[in-house]
Each structure stands twice: as structure tokens, then as C-alpha cells.
Amino acid sequence: MLPTVVLTAGLGTRLDPITRYVAKPAVPIAGRTLIERVLEWLHREGINDVVLNLHHLPETITSVVGDGGALGLRVRYSWEPLILGSAGGPKQALALWPGHSGPILIVNGDTLTDVPLSPMIEAHQASGARVTLAVVPNTRPDHYNGIRADTARRVTDFVPKGHADRSWHFVGVQVVNADVFDGLPAATPAETVAGVYRELVRTEPGAVHVWTVEAPFLDVGTPADYIAAVLHTAGTGRVVVEGASVVDASAVLTRCVVWDDATVGANANLTGCVVLSGAHVPPNTNATGQVFIP
């Protein structure tokens, strides 16, 4: 299996104010943090050597993951004093595998999926592509950017959200030849889809391929996305209460997530809310779509 970079350095601004307290990969998802669930999936797929890039609230990630031993793999870290982006981050992380010139796996640390990796890696190596992106049909082109590809799976264009025609949606799992990043200057921010890959599509037709999958995909982008991901993972449509939180028996919670060490008072009525650790929801509170902070 391939050396793997999990992208965990982002600020998570769409998940504000939750990400003022923890990095997005450290949010709880039905008893496990998001990053634990990502690493558990990688371990099931045979990955055993992972680098996480770090910038925002790194201690909330490292305190959970450590050296990866408890999750059955080796985890190391690539520190970014300046966020280097989806291309600059892997460029720097490659220094932890000196001499490696073959393909690597890059995974977004803010999404949940269950893509089978071996077939994708084999297809990448057989195709001659320099980049292979795991994709699903883009059912929400109003919400997500899209990828166009021909019948041979070669990417022909990247299109912004709001487009009306058929496209693919990238699920944050990709196989990339290490030399794709050779031309990037060290310690300089750079992007993949918004930069390096667009240039590859323009200058090397056929260099970027899609790999279609039927795996589930959960985006932990906004607070509403986060709630949906937690409830889906927990197999419930109503509420998830983490750890030792106290929710009064008279409170009514609908599509809510309550973190460990939080309290919800009597007769509270919450819909689509997140209650963070240390937060207290006063009695008789009525709220919709709110994040309660300590």
C-alpha cells in the first residue's frame, strides 16, 4: 500500500464557531473523532504509514491520534506554520519519505467515505495517469464544484458550483504520482484542483483521471452537514449525546448533537443544534440551528 497524506491543517471556517474549540478533524462523530474514523478506514484498507499535516489547533488532533499505534498504523506529522494548501501540504509531507518517487495516496481529513483503495490504486497504475480522483455523480451541482471527464475517464474540465450539466463530484480521495509536485517551490501555498491539476489538464491531456465509486460520502463542512454526518453514522434521525453529558428528561431535542460534558436544562426545545463540551443550555431555551459554546 502507498504512503498516505491526510490533509488536516485547514482552519475549518465553514464549521465556525465549532472550530474555534477543536480542529475540524477532531470533532466527535458518534463516539469517535472524525480523524479516528478516517484512520480506521485507512487501516482496514491496508494503509499503515500516514502523515497528517498540521496548523490549526494541532493539539486537538495529536492528543487523539498520537503515534497512531492505538489505531494500528504509524502516524507522523508535517507542521505548517503557514497553511500550504492541498498541493503545498503534500509537497512538504513528501520529505518524510525521502527518495520516494512513486504514487502516494492523499485523503481529505474532513470527510467520511469508505472507498475501496486497492482497485483504485491498480487502475491508476495501469492507466498511465499522473493523478486519479475518486468521484461520485454530482447530485448537488448548486452546492459542489464539478469535474467533467470523457468516456475514457480522462478529466477534461473543472467546473464551479452552479453549473447545470452532468458532472462528477470529488470525494477527497486521490492517488498522485509524487513528481506532480516537483515543480512547486518549497514552503509555498499551492492548490491541487484549483491550481496544479487544472494546469495538468491544460498541458497534458489524459494526465488526470477520475475513478468512479459507489461508496458513501459524508461532508463535514457546515454545522448542518456535521449534524447530518453524526446522525447518519449513529444510525439515528433524532439526537446523539456524547459521553457524560446531562440532558434533562423534559428537554426535547430534534436533529441535535450534544458533546461530552455539556448540560441541557429542563423544558429546552432544540432543533438542529450542536452543544459543545462545557456548554450549558438554560432551562426553557427554544433554539433552531444554533451552536452552544462554553
Side-chain angles (χ1 to χ4, degrees), residues 232-277:
H232 176 88
T233 303
T236 178
R238 186 170 177 81
V239 63
V240 169
V241 179
E242 304 277 358
S245 291
V246 177
V247 177
D248 191 273
S250 63
V252 177
L253 277 63
T254 304
R255 294 190 61 79
C256 292
V257 178
V258 181
W259 289 15
D260 184 29
D261 193 32
T263 59
V264 178
N267 299 309
N269 192 327
L270 309 181
T271 301
C273 294
V274 182
V275 185
L276 303 193
S277 296

Side-chain angles (χ1 to χ4, degrees), residues 5-269:
V5 179
V6 180
L7 301 175
T8 56
L11 299 175
T13 52
R14 290 190 302 146
L15 199 57
D16 185 77
I18 295 172
T19 44
R20 299 178 197 178
Y21 297 87
V22 298
K24 187 190 290 188
V27 296
I29 305 279
R32 304 285 275 172
T33 61
L34 173 56
I35 187 58
E36 287 176 292
R37 292 190 176 275
V38 171
L39 293 175
E40 287 166 348
W41 157 63
L42 290 173
H43 178 60
R44 290 195 303 271
E45 290 296 315
I47 298 296
N48 57 27
D49 191 4
V50 178
V51 169
L52 276 57
N53 65 338
L54 297 176
H55 175 82
H56 178 61
L57 298 176
E59 69 284 355
T60 63
I61 296 173
T62 58
S63 63
V64 170
V65 176
D67 66 1
L71 298 167
L73 33 70
R74 177 172 77 154
V75 172
R76 294 174 290 168
Y77 300 97
S78 176
W79 170 245
E80 298 179 14
L82 171 69
I83 294 180
L84 297 177
S86 57
K91 162 79 174 181
Q92 176 171 288
L94 276 165
L96 294 172
W97 294 287
H100 180 78
S101 59
I104 64 171
L105 182 70
I106 303 175
V107 174
N108 289 0
D110 62 353
T111 56
L112 282 174
T113 188
D114 198 20
V115 173
L117 295 178
S118 291
M120 180 180 176
I121 293 168
E122 291 168 4
H124 173 83
Q125 294 171 327
S127 70
R130 300 181 69 192
V131 178
T132 300
L133 307 171
V135 298
V136 296
N138 191 354
T139 59
R140 298 184 62 191
D142 60 320
H143 188 70
Y144 293 118
N145 297 330
I147 300 173
R148 295 193 185 110
D150 63 20
T151 55
R153 298 203 300 265
R154 297 171 298 197
V155 174
T156 58
D157 196 13
F158 297 97
V159 292
K161 63 183 178 181
H163 61 283
D165 56 337
R166 183 174 181 267
S167 69
W168 298 103
H169 174 53
F170 174 47
V171 298
V173 180
Q174 54 186 304
V175 183
V176 186
N177 292 354
D179 62 7
V180 165
F181 304 113
D182 283 353
L184 298 178
T188 302
E191 299 299 325
T192 51
V193 171
V196 176
Y197 298 171
R198 288 181 186 274
E199 184 65 12
L200 274 179
V201 168
R202 187 182 69 82
T203 60
E204 297 183 37
V208 184
H209 282 208
V210 295
W211 176 252
T212 58
V213 298
E214 296 182 356
F217 166 74
L218 296 174
D219 176 23
V220 186
T222 66
D225 292 333
Y226 167 66
I227 292 171
V230 174
L231 297 183
H232 176 88
T233 303
T236 178
R238 186 170 177 81
V239 63
V240 169
V241 179
E242 304 277 358
S245 291
V246 177
V247 177
D248 191 273
S250 63
V252 177
L253 277 63
T254 304
R255 294 190 61 79
C256 292
V257 178
V258 181
W259 289 15
D260 184 29
D261 193 32
T263 59
V264 178
N267 299 309
N269 192 327

